[in-house]
Amino acid sequence: MRIILLGPPGAGKGTQGERLVKKYKIPHIATGDIFRAAIKEGTELGLMAKDYMDQGLLVPDELVVGLVRERLAEEDTAQGFLLDGFPRTLAQAEALDAALAEMGTPLTAVINVDVGQDALVERLTGRRVCRGCGSTYHIKFNPPTVRSVCDKCGGELYQRSDDSVDTVRQRLEVYRRQTEPLIAYYQKQGILYTVDGSRDIDQVFAEITSYLDQLA
Ligand code: AP5
Ligand code: MG
Ligand code: ZN
């Protein structure tokens, strides 16, 4: 199962991705998570990505494509993978197609998680993430049992620095301009499936898995 989760910031790619990779036992490859880890470790990659992320802009394609290519070459992708937050530009999508064609491993499906703009702002500004294990919560829609503490690992929850109202608006605009055209790109390939991501987390998950299960 080789899947892309496509959708605007806050659509629930990370939330659904967490669950999907558990069910299908495939690695979760989220470029945003890779960059945040690199920033935390203070690596060169992190230093290069940080300014773009803080401004809500995309990291340049050259930095992202090489990274994903290397990640896809690792052994744990033999049974498939779930890409979350990649590709985000036409150039990235074309580079991915070329890499997968070379490996002889075409995509199974592109799941487009569709959510309206107003809901996205509320989701992002209320999001909290675990410092320990990266699990995602929402103060209203998916709160932890104990305030600011992760249910899974007891870690501290924090707010992403790009989840401020202004940066969120910028990210949504960048999505509309640079990433939304990928919907048509994958529709043309006949592998796009759009799910209504405005329903609750379990309902969205049920719809995605019932679609993927009938493909297998
Ligand atoms: P990235 O980390 O990928 O962020 P994003 O695309 O902006 O998406 P998010 O992680 O914000 O949203 P999500 O869809 O994962 O939603 P979530 O599940 O958390 O990228 C960050 C930055 O890195 C970019 O801006 C860019 O600079 C850089 N970058 C990354 N990849 C790149 C690339 N390929 N090229 C160039 N640059 C790149 O859910 C959001 C909230 O809503 C949570 O609180 C959650 O609990 C809640 N929620 C989820 N589902 C529901 C539901 N059904 N109902 C109610 N609440 C829900
Ligand atoms: Mg995410
Ligand atoms: Zn945790």
Side-chain angles (χ1 to χ4, degrees):
M1 185 97 60
R2 290 177 292 271
I3 318 167
I4 292 176
L5 276 185
L6 191 63
K13 303 182 296 294
T15 302
Q16 297 298 330
E18 236 175 74
R19 293 168 192 224
L20 290 166
V21 299
K22 224 186 256 166
K23 176 172 161 84
Y24 296 111
K25 302 186 174 59
I26 49 178
H28 187 175
I29 303 176
T31 40
D33 291 347
I34 294 172
F35 288 133
R36 278 184 291 278
I39 290 172
K40 197 169 152 189
E41 286 162 26
T43 66
E44 201 180 327
L45 178 73
L47 279 175
M48 289 190 285
K50 190 176 185 313
D51 284 345
Y52 296 101
M53 293 175 74
D54 283 346
Q55 291 179 64
L57 301 173
L58 295 185
V59 174
D61 289 338
E62 309 83 77
L63 280 182
V64 190
V65 167
L67 183 92
V68 173
R69 262 179 169 279
E70 276 171 31
R71 181 64 187 84
L72 290 176
E74 282 176 38
E75 267 171 32
D76 64 346
T77 63
Q79 300 309 312
F81 52 79
L82 181 139
L83 285 169
D84 160 357
F86 180 93
R88 256 178 150 91
T89 62
L90 279 173
Q92 290 179 18
E94 285 162 3
L96 176 66
D97 277 348
L100 294 177
E102 222 170 82
M103 296 191 283
T105 52
L107 291 167
T108 311
V110 176
I111 307 293
N112 174 36
V113 187
D114 185 36
V115 179
Q117 172 112 359
D118 293 345
L120 294 172
V121 175
E122 189 180 12
R123 283 188 187 184
L124 289 168
T125 51
R127 169 166 57 189
R128 299 294 182 271
V129 184
C130 174
R131 267 190 215 289
C133 70
S135 290
T136 300
Y137 297 85
H138 190 281
I139 50 173
K140 185 162 144 198
F141 305 128
N142 184 23
T145 313
V146 180
R147 195 167 170 268
S148 299
V149 179
C150 178
D151 288 347
K152 286 171 199 147
C153 78
E156 180 203 3
L157 304 187
Y158 76 102
Q159 183 165 26
R160 263 169 56 174
S161 58
D162 60 349
D163 278 346
S164 65
V165 182
D166 288 344
T167 311
V168 161
R169 293 212 185 278
Q170 174 67 38
R171 287 161 59 204
L172 291 172
E173 177 56 27
V174 164
Y175 167 80
R176 220 181 41 74
R177 253 195 347 258
Q178 296 186 268
T179 309
E180 207 168 52
L182 295 185
I183 294 176
Y185 178 86
Y186 288 116
Q187 205 152 31
K188 245 181 247 158
Q189 293 191 6
I191 53 173
L192 187 85
Y193 180 75
T194 296
V195 41
D196 175 4
S198 68
R199 292 165 307 155
D200 76 40
I201 294 170
D202 291 339
Q203 283 177 309
V204 177
F205 182 70
E207 187 183 335
I208 295 174
T209 53
S210 76
Y211 175 72
L212 291 174
D213 286 344
Q214 55 90 37
L215 287 181

